[in-house]
């Protein structure tokens, strides 16, 4: 079978027509909303291990799902087991290369400095995020690692997708951790 006839790597998504993201703004908003729903679902699984509920996924330029991750720091005792890192690792394995050029990372919470650095180093094209993190966010809040003009690679940032849901999930988690006042 010729290479052009091979399906793209990853799992086909319902809207995958061979190009991602969709050209029209309304279609993009609908697709980003659906993807954030998938990331929120993944984030909810982190609650079982008392991990901060953050979920992430990587989508190829063809619109296929390449990697999924959720925070697993508590579960595995690994300080680097952030949702974004795990999704990027899985996407790289799926593609067979560390270069995620043209790919989109969707995450429920603005990435920290470590994750923002990994996004740049992996050559991710686009970051779609839910809630901003004014305390530790490194893609526009506290720092802007992914769009620093001194970097050799810059990332498009689309923020605030399902922001209220993403923010509520995080706030509820931390309120539960703190207990009654």
């Amino acid at each position: 079978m010729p290479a052009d006839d091979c399906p793209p790597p990853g799992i086909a998504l319902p809207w995958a027509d061979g190009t991602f993201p969709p050209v029209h703004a309304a279609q993009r908003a609908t697709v980003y909303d659906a993807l954030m729903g998938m990331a929120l679902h993944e984030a909810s699984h982190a609650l079982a291990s008392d991990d901060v509920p953050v979920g992430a996924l990587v989508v190829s330029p063809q619109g296929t799902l390449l990697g999924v991750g959720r925070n697993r720091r508590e579960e595995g005792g690994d300080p680097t087991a952030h949702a974004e890192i795990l999704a990027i690792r899985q996407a790289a394995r799926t593609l067979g290369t560390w270069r995620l050029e043209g790919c989109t990372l969707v995450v429920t919470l603005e990435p920290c400095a470590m994750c923002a650095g990994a996004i740049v180093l992996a050559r991710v094209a686009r970051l779609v995020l839910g809630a901003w993190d004014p305390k530790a966010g490194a893609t526009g809040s506290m720092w802007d690692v992914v769009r620093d003009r001194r970097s050799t690679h810059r990332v498009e940032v689309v923020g605030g997708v399902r922001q209220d849901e993403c923010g509520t999930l995080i706030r509820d988690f931390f309120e539960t951790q703190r207990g009654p006042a």
Side-chain angles (χ1 to χ4, degrees), residues 4-175:
D4 292 342
D5 294 338
C6 292
I11 298 170
L13 296 170
W15 52 79
D17 64 358
T19 304
F20 187 84
V23 176
H24 301 291
Q27 290 174 317
R28 265 195 316 275
T30 299
V31 169
Y32 290 163
D33 187 76
L35 289 169
M36 191 59 71
M38 293 170 66
L40 279 161
H41 179 77
E42 188 64 23
S44 71
H45 292 297
L47 294 169
S49 58
D50 280 336
D51 275 292
V52 177
V54 176
L57 47 102
V58 177
V59 179
S60 76
Q62 295 78 31
T64 58
L65 182 62
L66 299 174
V68 178
R70 66 176 175 269
N71 277 358
R72 293 179 179 251
R73 293 184 308 167
E74 298 298 329
E75 180 181 323
D78 179 355
T80 68
H82 288 210
E84 302 94 323
I85 299 295
L86 299 176
I88 287 170
R89 286 177 183 163
Q90 188 177 61
R93 281 192 303 273
T94 300
L95 290 176
T97 180
W98 60 268
R99 288 182 177 90
L100 302 182
E101 293 169 341
C103 290
T104 299
L105 175 71
V106 179
V107 64
T108 58
L109 181 66
E110 180 183 5
C112 68
M114 175 184 71
C115 294
I119 291 165
V120 170
L121 293 174
R123 310 288 197 276
V124 170
R126 182 175 308 96
L127 169 67
V128 176
L129 66 92
W132 294 97
D133 184 352
K135 292 181 181 176
T139 63
S141 290
M142 288 293 293
W143 304 281
D144 200 352
V145 173
V146 299
R147 293 179 289 193
D148 190 304
R149 64 179 175 77
R150 297 166 291 189
S151 177
T152 57
H153 177 77
R154 284 182 266 315
V155 179
E156 175 189 351
V157 176
V158 178
V161 176
R162 294 177 74 164
Q163 181 172 333
D164 291 340
E165 286 174 81
C166 294
T168 297
L169 183 63
I170 295 289
R171 275 189 304 281
D172 289 353
F173 171 79
F174 283 112
E175 285 174 10

